[in-house]
Amino acid sequence: MDAYDPKTIEAKWQAWWEAHGTFRAEGRRPRDKKFYCLTMFPYPSGTLHVGHGRNYIIGDVVTRYKMMRGAEVLSPMGWDAFGLPAENAAIKNQKLPATWVRENVARMKDQFRRWGVGYDWRREVNTSSPDYYKWTQWIFLVLHERGLAYRKHAPVNWCPSCRTGLANEEVVDGRCERCGAEATLKDLPQWFFRITEYAERLLEDLSLLEKWPETVRTMQANWIGRSEGARVEFRLEDGTPLPIFTTRPDTLWGVTFMSLAPEHPLIAKLVAGSEREREVLAFCERVRRQPAAARSDAAVEKEGVPTGACCINPVSGERVPLWVANYALMEYGTGAVMAVPAHDQRDFEFAKKYGLPIRVVIQPQGKSLRADEIQEAYVEAGVMADSGDLSGTPTPSGIPEVMAHLEKQGWGARTVHYRIRDWLISRQRYWGAPIPIVHCAKCGEVPVPVEKLPVELPPETAVEFPPRGESPLAKVSAWVNTKCPACGGAANRETDTLAQWLCSCWYFLRYTMTDEERRASGNAKPFDRAAVDYWMPVDQYIGGVEHAVLHLLYTRFICKVLCDAGHVGFREPFQALFTQGMICKQSPRTGKLEKMSKSKGNVVSPDAVIEAYGADTQRLYTLFVGPPQKDAEWQDDAVVGARRFLDRVWRLADEHGATVAGAEPYAGNGADLAPEAKAVWRKTHQTIRKVTDDIEHSWQFNTAIAAVMELVNAMGAAGEAIAEAPAVARLALEAMVRLLHPFVPHLTEELWQAFGHEPSILAAGWPLFDESACAEDVLEIPIQVNGKLRARITVPADASEEAVRTAALGSERVKEVLAGAQVRKVIVIPGRLVNIVAK
Ligand SMILES: [Zn+2]
Ligand SMILES: [Zn+2]
């Protein structure tokens, strides 16, 4: 054979797989054989770097491994093309979004091909194509029909840079998830999805997701944020209800003031015409411009203003002054928070700052705290004090008693509160699916009938799409003006578009049809129910943990709605989830190890690596660099090590090519083998066991690769001996090539063919190991004490001298014979005898 030449080999096998439809999933085998391997599809907002490559390569390893294990694997790919990521990048690059997306899709598709990742491209989806977004709009209608989509004028998160409303989930640490600008609040009419109605089920069904990382499940549970507590009916002095939610009704007697969120609708009324009006409204205005996340941070400096008004505490009948405070949030509870400075640290800080009273109503067991002495809020368990009839009740264990009391007195009721808010779905941007609603003066909001979908975007050339804060579609009057689907009168189209998060809530359902099937159906359905029933749920989903409370939560919600509406038959879309770690590299700008990204200047292009070493080398390096769930550092000068190993594999196959040509893989029990050949035979079985185990149970691709490296070393060490046992050589070489296939598919296809097999190696199946062949030989060794045979021990044939010595001295029989005598010397004749000299 010639020297290893990845360029030729890789192009050859990529063409071969394509020509032979190797990754076409037909779905004709029994359902228990199916395996849906889904890797999160990318935003086509630029080209891919080697860091991006990690999850696609991991997905490909799983796909190929499962195929070799005999599964019917569906591995599709597509483009999350609508929305802010692509549109922002297009604007930055001064291109029209559609053009920008088209160019990137072509480039990225080529990158996938050159990595050798296998997809069934007949199922490709692009969320920005009308035949796809027709059905994204349909999903909106499904929710609308079920009362789960509504429009409301509300203060919403606003990104001043992207100039659009954002969902709560898109505001990360107070900043726009997309561009990093600080989010503010803005009053706008916006569309919401009632995800809160599914809060309980989204939480409960987390228990079905045993194969999800614990971290993701916890993040979702925290985001949903269920807490049990009481709704307590405070009232203004004029009788207007001012209900609050509290998880600590046992502290109700300690309330000394009330904090209102600056957004609270009652504030304007409370201060109207009063001397405090101007100051209070100015304070509200100022705080409302601050990011909500910063306000809810425990460390934030507490500030507030008194409104001058009071409310009545139902349990004590006391007048409680009403304040507006920056740390009170409209999203939590009712926007009015009872303040108990003695037992809540934030209230304590606020009370100290403004000289408000502090009253201790929970006393530690056997102690007596004084309000003027405490240095911080007492939040531990204790006994209720100064709390009317309930004084003496232990707490918090006694909270149910307190609740029952409140209910009996008509002061409040038990209730469950969720942190999650409804999902803001509308965007004031061009690049998204138009919301399929028509506003009619006579009929109100009228959904566009399904047969009129898609509501297509006007062409980009007709639109000034860079964002100005209102939907650019509003300016295209020819598009906006339409007829009401209900009464036929003049009406206007809704001009907001749908967030791209909705596009990605169902793409894996669309994959279950091929392009031909979609066309043949006249695009008359979003997906084929039988195909969905066959392929869903996804057996393995692979993607980044940053989607934990965005895509992964939204998708679970939408699938539950589709299930309730009878469109799908499963409750949870993703059976198993794997979240890969990031590839990091030292940034020349900051000098620090950072996630690979353009803005850090530490991006490595796969093109350069493939050009220098080949795609298989890049794949091997990416997989070998560390456990896939952990972050790993990319080091340019270490890549060559992966290439050297592949050169070695190539040479090994080349050296033994002639020897093994006529041989069948060794299938005996090892008894007939010379020691060196036997060692290779055993190592082969052990390696198969180790690699299988590493992939199957923990996805430890790095240690799996290390195990194959050991096998290669063992074959090298056997030298000429292995050439004299061609059957063993063949067994070892074929196992090596098959075990390496998921990691380095091109090289291994080439060698498999060189061994005289028909391609593809995928059809050859995964090698099997024999447990008894893995077991090391054992030897029985006689032990002499002072020259007399006294005992026998059994040790592994390859046990070290030290191990044999320890085993001999540890033998019960030997201890008995020695009976406390001093051991002077232990002579070990490896594999033969141990002699102990004692006195
Ligand atoms: Zn932004
Ligand atoms: Zn109408």
Side-chain angles (χ1 to χ4, degrees):
M1 278 193 309
D2 300 327
Y4 173 43
D5 172 23
K7 229 172 251 171
T8 322
I9 293 174
E10 290 174 0
K12 168 183 164 185
W13 289 104
Q14 285 153 15
W16 196 94
W17 296 322
E18 251 165 61
H20 291 79
T22 305
F23 295 95
R24 284 187 191 175
E26 301 299 349
R28 296 204 189 103
R29 307 173 59 194
R31 191 168 175 280
D32 61 358
K33 291 268 183 234
K34 74 96 184 175
F35 191 88
Y36 191 165
C37 182
L38 182 69
T39 307
M40 288 183 186
F41 64 165
Y43 301 129
S45 51
T47 48
L48 298 166
H49 56 64
V50 295
H52 293 128
R54 197 182 203 188
N55 64 324
Y56 305 110
I57 291 167
I58 291 172
D60 193 53
V61 169
V62 175
T63 295
R64 290 175 184 272
Y65 172 73
K66 288 288 175 184
M67 284 171 80
M68 292 179 86
R69 304 282 331 213
E72 168 90 28
V73 181
L74 171 57
S75 170
M77 189 39 71
W79 317 99
D80 197 359
F82 254 160
L84 286 182
E87 190 180 358
N88 282 357
I91 291 168
K92 207 168 155 193
N93 288 278
Q94 300 183 321
K95 299 239 173 164
L96 295 172
T99 315
W100 177 245
V101 160
R102 195 172 50 245
E103 289 172 3
N104 282 317
V105 163
R107 269 198 295 266
M108 290 166 85
K109 204 168 169 177
D110 188 53
Q111 289 186 301
F112 282 135
R113 202 178 54 85
R114 301 212 294 144
W115 269 327
V117 289
Y119 296 123
D120 185 349
W121 284 109
R122 301 171 306 161
R123 299 166 187 274
E124 180 178 358
V125 301
N126 180 326
T127 59
S128 69
S129 83
D131 68 341
Y132 182 92
Y133 71 70
K134 168 180 180 175
W135 299 110
T136 306
Q137 292 173 335
W138 168 78
I139 290 178
F140 177 91
L141 294 181
V142 171
L143 274 96
H144 191 261
E145 196 184 319
R146 301 178 71 77
L148 295 170
Y150 66 93
R151 191 166 182 254
K152 172 177 98 166
H153 201 95
V156 298
N157 299 303
W158 180 261
C159 173
S161 160
C162 296
R163 301 199 186 187
T164 181
L166 298 174
N168 287 350
E169 290 81 7
E170 285 173 297
V171 180
V172 179
D173 299 330
R175 293 174 180 279
C176 168
E177 173 262 348
R178 214 12 47 205
C179 72
E182 241 179 47
T184 56
L185 286 173
K186 190 170 175 177
D187 275 314
L188 276 179
Q190 295 278 314
W191 284 94
F192 294 87
F193 281 164
R194 245 181 256 283
I195 193 170
T196 50
E197 213 157 275
Y198 281 70
E200 190 64 46
R201 283 165 65 189
L202 287 167
L203 187 66
E204 245 173 40
D205 285 355
L206 285 174
S207 67
L208 303 175
L209 305 177
E210 282 163 19
K211 294 187 198 162
W212 280 39
E214 189 59 46
T215 46
V216 176
R217 287 193 291 165
T218 306
M219 283 166 85
Q220 289 207 356
N222 290 343
W223 185 259
I224 295 166
R226 183 184 198 277
S227 49
E228 288 182 18
R231 185 185 160 94
V232 182
E233 301 295 334
F234 281 68
R235 284 182 189 279
L236 297 185
E237 287 177 295
D238 67 2
T240 310
L242 183 65
I244 57 101
F245 171 80
T246 177
T247 56
R248 291 293 306 272
D250 53 324
T251 64
L252 263 166
W253 285 262
V255 174
T256 57
F257 64 101
M258 171 85 77
S259 305
L260 296 176
E263 297 83 4
H264 201 287
L266 266 182
I267 292 173
K269 192 183 131 192
L270 285 175
V271 297
S274 87
E275 55 185 19
R276 304 213 49 81
E277 181 170 15
R278 188 191 289 235
E279 192 196 339
V280 170
L281 295 184
F283 175 81
C284 294
E285 187 55 37
R286 180 165 64 79
V287 173
R288 292 182 61 178
R289 279 199 301 269
Q290 295 169 359
R295 281 167 53 195
S296 63
D297 191 328
V300 73
E301 171 72 23
K302 317 286 178 292
E303 341 172 48
V305 282
T307 63
C310 283
C311 64
I312 307 294
N313 185 343
V315 303
S316 62
E318 279 178 338
R319 291 177 77 230
V320 177
L322 283 166
W323 283 62
V324 182
N326 64 336
Y327 66 95
L329 298 177
M330 204 57 214
E331 297 96 80
Y332 188 79
T334 60
V337 186
M338 69 178 211
V340 187
H343 306 294
D344 180 283
Q345 186 58 28
R346 298 193 309 174
D347 297 342
F348 181 81
E349 289 168 26
F350 193 88
K352 279 284 179 197
K353 180 167 177 179
Y354 294 105
L356 293 162
I358 296 171
R359 186 183 301 157
V360 176
V361 292
I362 306 290
Q363 290 290 2
Q365 202 69 256
K367 277 196 199 148
S368 182
L369 297 178
R370 283 181 45 178
D372 54 351
E373 282 173 357
I374 56 174
Q375 298 302 310
E376 55 180 7
Y378 178 71
V379 297
E380 308 294 318
V383 177
M384 288 172 71
D386 293 324
S387 300
D389 296 352
L390 286 161
S391 297
T393 309
T395 183
S397 65
I399 284 181
E401 265 174 73
V402 179
M403 300 260 203
H405 182 70
L406 291 177
E407 285 179 342
K408 201 169 116 209
Q409 303 290 333
W411 294 333
R414 266 170 256 242
T415 178
V416 174
H417 179 264
Y418 298 93
R419 182 177 175 271
I420 191 172
R421 303 287 88 186
D422 278 345
W423 170 15
L424 191 154
I425 190 73
S426 49
R427 298 291 179 273
Q428 292 68 50
R429 297 287 297 239
Y430 167 71
W431 193 236
I435 294 177
I437 289 284
V438 167
H439 299 283
C440 169
K442 235 165 73 193
C443 316
E445 285 163 8
V446 183
V448 177
V450 173
E451 57 277 12
K452 291 276 167 58
L453 298 182
V455 176
E456 282 201 48
L457 277 177
E460 292 154 294
T461 45
V463 182
E464 251 192 274
F465 66 85
R468 300 193 192 285
E470 107 176 279
S471 173
L473 298 182
K475 300 231 175 67
V476 190
S477 50
W479 185 85
V480 174
N481 296 330
T482 185
K483 287 217 168 68
C484 168
C487 71
N492 292 336
R493 285 193 189 285
E494 168 64 52
T495 55
D496 282 357
T497 52
L498 291 164
Q500 87 272 5
W501 303 111
L502 185 62
C503 307
S504 54
C505 276
W506 72 282
Y507 74 110
F508 44 89
L509 303 176
R510 187 71 169 170
Y511 281 149
T512 61
M513 283 174 106
T514 65
D515 204 36
E516 202 185 318
E517 287 161 353
R518 294 171 198 154
R519 269 199 311 274
S521 80
N523 199 22
K525 51 187 176 184
F527 43 79
D528 182 71
R529 178 63 193 266
V532 164
D533 286 348
Y534 177 85
W535 287 113
M536 289 296 293
V538 167
D539 296 272
Q540 182 66 58
Y541 201 14
I542 301 165
V545 73
E546 67 275 14
H547 291 290
V549 296
L550 285 155
H551 165 65
L552 291 167
L553 185 65
Y554 295 151
T555 304
R556 294 183 57 224
F557 163 58
I558 292 295
C559 286
K560 287 186 188 305
V561 176
L562 289 177
C563 183
D564 288 350
H567 295 298
V568 299
F570 56 86
R571 272 162 75 186
E572 286 291 336
F574 312 127
Q575 205 135 63
L577 172 70
F578 183 85
T579 51
Q580 78 281 355
M582 289 181 302
I583 295 283
C584 303
K585 189 173 193 284
Q586 203 180 26
S587 160
R589 299 200 187 138
T590 65
K592 283 187 290 191
L593 199 58
E594 309 223 41
K595 174 193 174 183
M596 209 175 261
S597 88
K598 238 192 205 161
S599 63
K600 303 277 188 240
N602 59 352
V603 162
V604 176
S605 154
D607 300 355
V609 181
I610 292 174
E611 180 63 28
Y613 304 110
D616 278 340
T617 293
Q618 193 201 319
R619 291 174 62 118
L620 189 77
Y621 179 69
T622 303
L623 295 162
F624 191 58
V625 75
Q629 62 273 43
K630 296 242 171 74
D631 290 354
E633 182 185 358
W634 181 280
Q635 290 175 302
D636 289 325
D637 49 4
V639 180
V640 68
R643 171 60 194 262
R644 279 196 204 113
F645 172 67
L646 295 183
D647 282 327
R648 197 153 170 230
V649 167
W650 182 268
R651 278 198 311 272
L652 196 65
D654 190 24
E655 276 163 28
H656 297 295
T659 327
V660 304
E664 283 296 317
Y666 180 77
N669 64 2
D672 55 334
L673 296 176
E676 292 89 347
K678 194 171 180 181
V680 171
W681 167 72
R682 172 162 298 118
K683 188 76 188 170
T684 303
H685 281 274
Q686 288 171 338
T687 306
I688 298 170
R689 182 174 64 182
K690 166 84 176 142
V691 174
T692 308
D693 205 55
D694 283 350
I695 297 181
E696 195 69 41
H697 301 297
S698 49
W699 288 26
Q700 298 303 302
F701 307 130
N702 53 328
T703 55
I705 291 166
V708 182
M709 289 174 171
E710 270 186 44
L711 174 63
V712 170
N713 287 341
M715 279 191 268
E720 280 307 300
I722 185 85
E724 281 159 29
V728 172
R730 180 147 200 130
L731 175 83
L733 286 174
E734 291 198 351
M736 169 188 82
V737 167
R738 286 199 282 174
L739 293 175
L740 282 176
H741 177 73
F743 312 128
V744 288
H746 311 88
L747 167 77
T748 47
E749 285 276 22
E750 184 68 20
L751 291 180
W752 190 248
Q753 195 180 35
F755 293 157
H757 297 291
E758 283 294 313
S760 157
I761 188 172
L762 284 161
W766 191 248
L768 301 174
F769 63 91
D770 179 348
E771 197 66 62
S772 61
C774 294
E776 298 287 351
D777 282 343
V778 291
L779 286 178
E780 202 180 57
I781 297 183
I783 302 177
Q784 294 180 345
V785 177
N786 295 332
K788 272 194 187 148
L789 178 67
R790 294 293 195 174
R792 290 176 186 278
I793 56 166
T794 313
V795 294
D798 60 353
S800 68
E801 229 179 278
E802 189 50 40
V804 174
R805 183 191 146 101
T806 310
L809 291 173
S811 146
E812 285 306 315
R813 174 82 186 116
V814 169
K815 281 191 207 159
E816 223 171 86
V817 171
L818 287 173
Q822 274 245 320
V823 175
R824 289 289 167 91
K825 209 171 178 184
V826 180
I827 305 149
V828 177
I829 306 170
R832 300 273 303 279
L833 177 79
V834 178
N835 191 10
I836 301 170
V837 183
K839 224 178 183 178

